[in-house]
Amino acid sequence: MLSTFKDLEKMFPPNPDGVVVFDGVEYEGAKADVKIGNKRRTIGVFGAGGDAGLIDITDTVKTARNGHPSFDSIAAEVDSLMETFFDGIKT
């Protein structure tokens, strides 16, 4: 387990530039590679535009001929995630 979000907030105090400074190095964002169910997923920890907590499904959705992600592909990923979360809370 990486940590709770509250603990991370203490480690990375906010600043007016929106940049995270850790060990003297500046970062515009941070992501964690986390196992959710049987898949490894990338989750935003810190970043611009509310990226914290977002699960990146970019690599798993399929694009349609118009170049946009297909609705069915997105729906399948969301269904899979919701089933995994539900399994975790119902036990």
Side-chain angles (χ1 to χ4, degrees):
M1 180 173 171
L2 178 62
S3 186
T4 65
F5 187 70
K6 223 177 220 352
D7 290 338
L8 288 173
E9 282 184 313
K10 292 175 191 171
M11 291 174 59
F12 304 107
N15 65 53
D17 298 328
V19 175
V20 176
V21 179
F22 182 73
D23 202 23
V25 180
E26 291 185 0
Y27 298 92
E28 291 185 15
K31 296 181 180 187
D33 189 27
V34 178
K35 186 174 181 184
I36 300 175
N38 295 326
K39 293 183 180 179
R40 295 199 71 71
R41 308 256 187 189
T42 301
I43 299 179
V45 178
F46 289 104
D51 287 345
L54 294 180
I55 300 172
D56 185 357
I57 60 171
T58 307
D59 294 338
T60 56
V61 296
K62 295 182 175 106
T63 54
R65 291 192 335 205
N66 63 7
H68 295 285
S70 74
F71 177 81
D72 291 339
S73 178
I74 293 170
E77 282 299 311
V78 171
D79 284 347
S80 173
L81 284 166
M82 293 299 106
E83 287 174 11
T84 301
F85 295 151
F86 180 71
D87 288 344
I89 61 173
K90 74 176 182 180
T91 55

